[in-house]
């Protein structure tokens, strides 16, 4: 375990300072009717900060930068969500943030030893199979949601990290080729192609194409890493062929997309403000209203619009906190997923896993932000770690745990095999 | 009064934004600092080993190193006696192991034909006509 006490303390102080500055902004500019609401929010946020700083030390990691960025972003989202429609602690979102932190540590523990994880690949595929069956049987008529009382769960969200792991397993096993008739084939590739096809068909069948680009993004990321295995030497022919095939598939998919997709693709939001353009037109007006520095926490009007806390959360934050601050939050998320570029993983498995996680975050953020701003069709996906929603928060937390695992990996033999001819002394030349 | 409120709003927004920026900047610097420690940890895991050929040396910077004739191999040995994907080196618990991945000419470690073998310092590995020595890295600053 590595820990630099000085740098750890400095990181804690700066995270606390950042949250304190936001809370001061809420206190002076917010629309709180009583100071008690702000105090409760401050205690909750700073309390979670302190608790996580202590809990982090119990996990023997060698890197902490991503953990600090995670708690910074999560508590910022608690402050944002608590200010929508007036300042009061959003207990539901606060609990989902804690769930996200737990999922993060779970992701770290599961993924830190990639050799062990590779041995569990059949369970990864089994878990995906169970989730797909759950969607088909428990979600009701062609839906993605399971409703248990007042709680709604979206099982398709949990497929995303498992799909990233399946991609990573596929890349890590590329050298294991088997002769089939006259060709050498990798069985893992067929398993992954089949899995991708099943997931795409499932999304189509459930009429929920919002998450499809995320899955495709992760697959493309894994696919490019696979054809570039092992040293990322790009073969131009393969890359161009793959690009052309993808373009053709995308054009065909757009041509034969269902009616509701076609409507969104060609929606004129300003002429259809009460229909397909309802959320987007209000989101754009709110962003313009907020300007660079916002109206102040809790003073926005977008909180009256449906899905203001998840699908158009970027616009809601922009209205209340300003476009500048909203963009900086996105920058903080981008920096968190860019940490593997600073400290590259030491195994192909972890490299592919990190790339898949980055693809997930970038696709989700792109779909949400550009969708809100009417630059692409509105899909209704969430911004990871910012939007409200238990399934999304837990999945995002788990994914961040995977990033942390790639930064603090374990290189141990999972089967405990002892080498009979292990080196006991040096051989002289 | 409205001007005062606007100024106060602007000031607090600027302070929040500056605090967030500063925090992110500090965490980036800390990530760079952690990189050094990750490198030290890797040196401990890998034992600072390298494969040395008469004309080149190859540091072992990853937990799986593919050796072969193919352009995409980690250690490329452009010789027809070496298979395109000849052998793979893996590290676990600080121990390096070489494994044959279906080569035509096989792997010889200190003159013995092996399919899988734990390597010791100064072991001589023959892949086709190519001869490599598994040894400690001469320059520990190589990354």
């Amino acid at each position: 375990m590595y820990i630099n006490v000085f740098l750890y303390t400095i990181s804690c102080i700066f995270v606390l300072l950042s949250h304190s500055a936001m809370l001061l902004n809420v206190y002076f500019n917010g629309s709180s009717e009583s100071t008690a609401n702000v105090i409760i929010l401050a205690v909750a946020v700073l309390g979670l900060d302190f608790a996580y700083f202590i809990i982090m030390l119990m996990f023997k990691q060698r890197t902490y930068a991503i953990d600090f960025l995670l708690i910074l972003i999560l508590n910022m989202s608690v402050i944002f969500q608590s200010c929508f429609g007036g300042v009061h602690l959003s207990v539901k979102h606060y609990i989902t943030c804690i769930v996200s932190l737990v999922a993060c540590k779970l992701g770290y523990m599961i993924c830190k030893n990639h050799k062990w994880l590779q041995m569990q690949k059949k369970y990864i595929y089994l878990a995906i199979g169970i989730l797909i069956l759950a969607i088909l049987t428990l979600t009701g008529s062609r839906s993605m949601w399971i409703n248990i009382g007042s709680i709604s769960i979206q099982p398709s969200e949990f497929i995303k990290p498992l799909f990233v792991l399946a991609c990573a397993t596929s890349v890590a096993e590329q050298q294991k080729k088997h002769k089939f008739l006259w060709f050498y084939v990798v069985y893992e590739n067929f398993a992954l192609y089949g899995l991708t096809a099943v997931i795409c068909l499932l999304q189509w069948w459930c009429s929920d194409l919002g998450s499809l680009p995320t899955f495709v993004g992760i697959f493309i990321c894994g696919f490019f890493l696979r054809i570039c295995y092992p040293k990322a030497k790009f073969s131009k022919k393969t890359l161009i062929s793959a690009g052309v095939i993808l373009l053709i598939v995308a054009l065909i998919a757009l041509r034969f997309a269902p009616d509701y997709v076609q409507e969104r693709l060609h929606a004129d939001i300003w002429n259809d403000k009460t229909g397909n353009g309802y959320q987007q037109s209000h989101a754009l007006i709110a962003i313009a209203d907020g300007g660079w520095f916002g109206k102040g926490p809790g003073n926005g009007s977008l909180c009256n619009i449906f899905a203001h806390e998840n699908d158009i959360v970027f616009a809601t934050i922009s209205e209340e906190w300003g476009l500048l601050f909203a963009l900086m939050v996105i920058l903080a998320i981008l920096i968190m997923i860019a940490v593997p570029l600073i400290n590259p993983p030491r195994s192909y498995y972890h490299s592919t896993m990190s790339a898949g996680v980055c693809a997930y975050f970038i696709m989700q953020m792109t779909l949400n932000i550009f969708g809100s701003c009417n630059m692409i069709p509105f899909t209704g996906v969430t911004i990871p770690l910012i939007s409200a929603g238990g399934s999304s928060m837990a999945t995002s937390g788990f994914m961040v745990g995977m990033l942390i695992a790639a930064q603090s990996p374990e290189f141990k033999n999972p089967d405990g095999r002892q080498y009979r001819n292990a080196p006991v002394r040096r051989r002289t030349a | 009064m409205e001007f005062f409120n606007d100024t106060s709003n602007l000031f607090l927004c600027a302070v929040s934004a500056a605090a967030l920026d500063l925090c992110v900047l500090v965490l980036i610097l800390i990530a760079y600092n952690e990189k050094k420690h990750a490198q030290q940890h890797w040196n401990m895991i890998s034992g600072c080993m390298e494969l040395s050929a008469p004309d080149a040396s190859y540091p072992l910077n990853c937990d799986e190193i593919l050796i072969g004739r193919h352009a995409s191999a980690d250690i490329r040995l452009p010789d027809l006696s070496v298979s395109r994907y000849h052998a793979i080196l893996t590290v676990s618990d600080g121990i390096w192991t070489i494994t044959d991945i279906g080569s035509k000419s096989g792997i010889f470690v200190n003159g013995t034909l092996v399919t899988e073998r734990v390597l010791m310092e100064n072991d001589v590995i023959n892949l086709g006509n190519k001869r490599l020595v598994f040894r400690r890295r001469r320059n520990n600053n190589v990354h």
Side-chain angles (χ1 to χ4, degrees), chain A residues 149-358:
Chain A
S150 60
I151 300 170
S152 297
I153 300 169
Q154 197 175 9
S156 67
E157 283 289 323
F158 303 128
I159 297 178
K160 289 171 185 169
L162 293 168
F163 187 64
V164 171
L165 291 179
C167 286
T169 308
S170 166
V171 170
E173 307 222 337
Q174 282 305 294
Q175 83 279 6
K176 292 179 184 170
K177 294 188 174 177
H178 304 270
K179 194 164 186 181
F180 180 74
L181 298 176
W182 299 278
F183 305 102
Y184 282 96
V185 294
V186 181
Y187 293 151
E188 283 292 325
N189 286 352
F190 289 105
L192 191 65
Y193 293 146
L195 184 64
T196 311
V198 168
I199 289 172
C200 290
L201 283 173
L202 182 75
Q203 301 274 331
W204 195 281
W205 187 79
C206 291
S207 305
D208 184 2
L209 296 173
S211 295
L212 192 59
T214 308
F215 282 110
V216 173
I218 294 169
F219 176 74
I220 289 173
C221 204
F223 179 79
F224 277 134
L225 283 173
R226 185 161 61 251
I227 58 177
C228 301
Y229 178 89
K231 232 183 166 182
K233 286 189 176 171
F234 291 85
S235 156
K236 283 179 191 165
K237 272 185 196 170
T238 322
L239 279 178
I240 292 168
S241 313
V244 169
I245 291 169
L246 277 171
L247 189 66
I248 292 168
V249 170
L251 288 174
I252 292 170
L254 286 177
R255 173 70 185 79
F256 295 102
D259 289 343
Y260 72 95
V261 177
Q262 298 284 0
E263 277 173 25
R264 285 194 188 182
L265 283 173
H266 304 105
D268 181 355
I269 61 163
W270 301 113
N271 285 330
D272 193 13
K273 272 199 233 176
T274 52
N276 279 323
Y278 180 70
Q279 284 164 307
Q280 284 165 297
S281 56
H282 280 86
L284 280 172
I285 291 167
I287 292 171
D289 264 358
W292 285 109
F293 298 104
K295 289 176 168 178
N299 294 323
S301 58
L302 208 59
C303 54
N304 300 317
I305 305 295
F306 176 70
H308 67 275
E309 78 280 36
N310 38 45
D311 293 358
I312 49 170
V313 72
F314 179 77
T316 321
I317 295 169
S318 294
E319 188 189 19
E320 295 193 356
W321 293 80
L323 185 61
L324 188 70
F325 203 83
L327 288 174
M328 275 175 5
V329 172
I330 300 303
L331 182 71
I333 299 175
L334 286 175
I335 285 169
M336 185 180 71
I337 58 172
V339 168
L341 294 177
I342 296 173
N343 183 17
R346 295 280 178 183
S347 67
Y348 290 119
Y349 194 98
H350 281 144
S351 303
T352 316
M353 200 171 76
S354 302
V357 172
C358 292

Side-chain angles (χ1 to χ4, degrees), chain A residues 7 11 28-29 62 64 114-115 230-231 233 293 328 335 342 346-348 411-413 419 426-427, chain B residues 9-10 13 17 24 30 33-35 39 41 61-63 71-72 74 91-93 118 121-123:
Chain A
L7 292 180
S11 308
F28 287 107
N29 286 338
R62 276 177 297 281
Y64 291 97
H114 68 92
K115 290 186 180 178
K231 232 183 166 182
K233 286 189 176 171
F293 298 104
M328 275 175 5
I335 285 169
I342 296 173
R346 295 280 178 183
S347 67
Y348 290 119
F411 296 100
K412 283 188 178 173
N413 220 4
Y419 294 96
R426 288 180 190 177
R427 186 185 291 274
Chain B
N9 184 17
L10 194 73
C13 280
V24 170
I30 282 168
N33 184 271
E34 286 172 346
K35 183 185 178 181
Q39 178 66 43
H41 178 252
N61 284 334
C62 192
D63 82 325
S72 65
D74 287 298
V91 68
S92 184
D93 299 323
V118 172
E121 193 176 344
N122 293 325
D123 271 349

